[in-house]
Amino acid sequence: MKRFYLIGFAVLMAFDTLAQISFKLAGEHALPLEFGAAWLARVFGQLWIYGAFVGYVGAFFTWMTLLQRAPIGPAFAASHLEIVSVLAVSVWLFGETIGWPQMLGGLLIVAGIACLAVSETVDEASPPVAPDGLPGASAAALAVAVADAGLDDGATR
């Protein structure tokens, strides 16, 4: 299952990064911004806008597949790894500079996702605990025990 998550989130990050980078490149080629037929022809006449569509559609289907199996909290956090990947790709592709605040922010994003992932695996490994602190006892088992002990006042029947 870990391999599924790693591959799935890598694919999601790749599709999201493709979409963001494609929109940036499409936006650069669509200037000047003047809504009209000529502008629409410039936008849809280049390949990058279609890369953005492919990125968004691919990200949507990858996300829906991941949500079938992944816990929502860590999955939602991990789905935002494209912030870090777009930052890294923009340095390489567009020559943008990264300062220490961006590096620190990227590290905090990755650290936060790692903390959520670790806490989720710890939660899955521990047995469920009933309100009285007994591990493994379910609410239904507790209701039966209360009824058998005669502590139930009959209001729930």
Side-chain angles (χ1 to χ4, degrees), residues 105-120:
L107 287 173
L108 288 173
I109 290 169
V110 172
I113 293 167
C115 288
L116 285 171
V118 167
S119 71
E120 190 66 32

Side-chain angles (χ1 to χ4, degrees), residues 36-146:
W39 180 75
L40 288 172
R42 278 195 312 272
V43 169
F44 290 104
Q46 57 180 310
L47 190 60
W48 290 114
I49 196 70
Y50 302 106
F53 289 139
V54 167
Y56 274 125
V57 170
F60 173 78
F61 284 108
T62 304
W63 178 240
M64 292 298 115
T65 302
L66 284 167
L67 279 182
Q68 290 176 341
R69 296 189 177 124
I72 188 69
F76 184 70
S79 72
H80 291 85
L81 278 171
E82 87 273 355
I83 295 169
V84 178
S85 65
V86 168
L87 184 66
V89 170
S90 67
V91 169
W92 170 69
L93 195 60
F94 302 117
E96 294 183 11
T97 58
I98 295 179
W100 68 267
Q102 291 89 354
M103 284 188 238
L104 179 62
L107 287 173
L108 288 173
I109 290 169
V110 172
I113 293 167
C115 288
L116 285 171
V118 167
S119 71
E120 190 66 32
T121 57
V122 168
D123 289 345
E124 288 175 359
S126 62
V129 177
D132 63 357
L134 297 174
S138 68
L142 287 174
V144 169
V146 167

